[in-house]
Amino acid sequence: FYQTGYDQGAERPMLDLVLVVDNPREWHAENLAHNGHHYAAVGALGVEAVCRLQEAPAGLYYNTLIEMRGEGYRGRLMKYGVISKTALLRDLCTWEWLYLAGRLHKPVHLGLDWSEFQGALRDNLAHAVRASLLLLPRTFSRFELYMTIAGLSYNGDIRMMFGEHPDKVRNIVEPSISQFGELYGKTLEER
C-alpha cells in the first residue's frame, strides 16, 4: 500500500515481501543454490548459519537490497523475509515479538491461501483494537484509533529513532483510511 512522505521524484520505497514457509531449512537451502547472491556474507556460511540467524530475531530472516528485474521494476529494490508457519502463528497468537503480528495490524496484500491463519489473523486484529482502546482517551476518532493501532508495533522500535520517516505511522494511515476500515470493520462491529 502507498505511504505518503516520500519524495515522488526519488526512488520508490523498497518493496517488502514476507514468505511463509513450512520448512525454513529446506527453503533456504534451495534459495541459496539459486539466489546465493541475495544472502550477502552470511550465505557463504551455509544454510545452518542462515537458519540460526533466522531463529534469533523474531523467527524471521531478511534478504535486503535485492534489485528487481522485469518490465516496470528495473532499478526498484525489494527485500524479502522468510518465516516458518509455526513462528508466524506464535507471533500472531502471543505477540512474542509483535513483528509480523504488528505488520499485519495494517492493510497488506495477502497472497495465496491464508485460510489456516484466519483465526489467528482475526484474533490479532481484535487484540490490536483492545490494546489501542486502553491507550486512547475516552473520546476518539476512527483516525486516532487507526493511528494507535498502526503505531503499536513501532512503540519502542529503535528504528524509529533513526532511519525511519518521523511521520511513518501517519504516512501509513492517512492514505489507507478506507483499507483500515475494511480491515477492522467486522472487529469494530462486534465491539
Side-chain angles (χ1 to χ4, degrees):
F1 288 90
Y2 176 74
Q3 286 184 41
T4 58
Y6 288 97
D7 178 0
Q8 297 305 310
E11 293 181 32
R12 297 185 338 198
M14 193 178 311
L15 180 64
D16 187 350
L17 302 174
V18 175
L19 307 172
V20 181
V21 301
D22 288 314
N23 185 322
R25 181 168 276 101
E26 288 178 10
W27 193 93
H28 285 300
E30 185 172 338
N31 197 45
L32 276 163
H34 295 288
N35 300 299
H37 60 286
H38 289 185
Y39 287 83
V42 74
L45 299 175
V47 70
E48 294 303 320
V50 171
C51 289
R52 276 194 302 277
L53 280 174
Q54 177 168 336
E55 288 308 312
L60 188 70
Y61 180 86
Y62 258 97
N63 285 316
T64 63
L65 302 174
I66 309 300
E67 189 170 331
M68 296 175 67
R69 294 185 225 142
E71 197 64 37
Y73 295 105
R74 295 212 190 280
R76 184 163 186 198
L77 296 177
M78 67 175 273
K79 59 184 175 179
Y80 62 92
V82 179
I83 190 168
S84 70
K85 289 180 178 181
T86 303
L88 173 59
L89 282 169
R90 186 170 60 237
D91 198 31
L92 286 172
C93 295
T94 68
W95 285 12
E96 181 176 345
W97 304 295
L98 194 57
Y99 191 76
L100 280 182
R103 285 179 176 221
L104 293 169
H105 292 163
K106 302 155 200 72
V108 297
H109 292 290
L110 298 176
L112 304 177
D113 182 11
W114 279 72
S115 58
E116 68 185 287
F117 301 102
Q118 286 306 312
L121 288 166
R122 184 184 58 248
D123 291 347
N124 183 47
L125 297 179
H127 296 323
V129 169
R130 288 185 197 109
S132 295
L133 291 174
L134 293 172
L135 298 170
L136 286 162
R138 186 182 275 299
T139 306
F140 56 89
S141 67
R142 285 265 174 140
F143 179 77
E144 291 168 316
L145 174 63
Y146 298 152
M147 286 285 292
T148 304
I149 289 170
L152 287 173
S153 63
Y154 295 112
N155 290 334
D157 187 336
I158 195 163
R159 294 173 305 164
M160 294 305 290
M161 296 171 66
F162 60 90
E164 288 289 359
H165 194 288
D167 291 319
K168 182 169 184 73
V169 174
R170 180 176 296 279
N171 293 344
I172 291 170
V173 174
E174 279 184 345
S176 303
I177 290 288
S178 62
Q179 289 92 348
F180 272 92
E182 291 170 20
L183 185 61
Y184 286 97
K186 288 182 183 177
T187 302
L188 294 173
E189 287 173 12
E190 293 171 3
R191 306 281 156 246

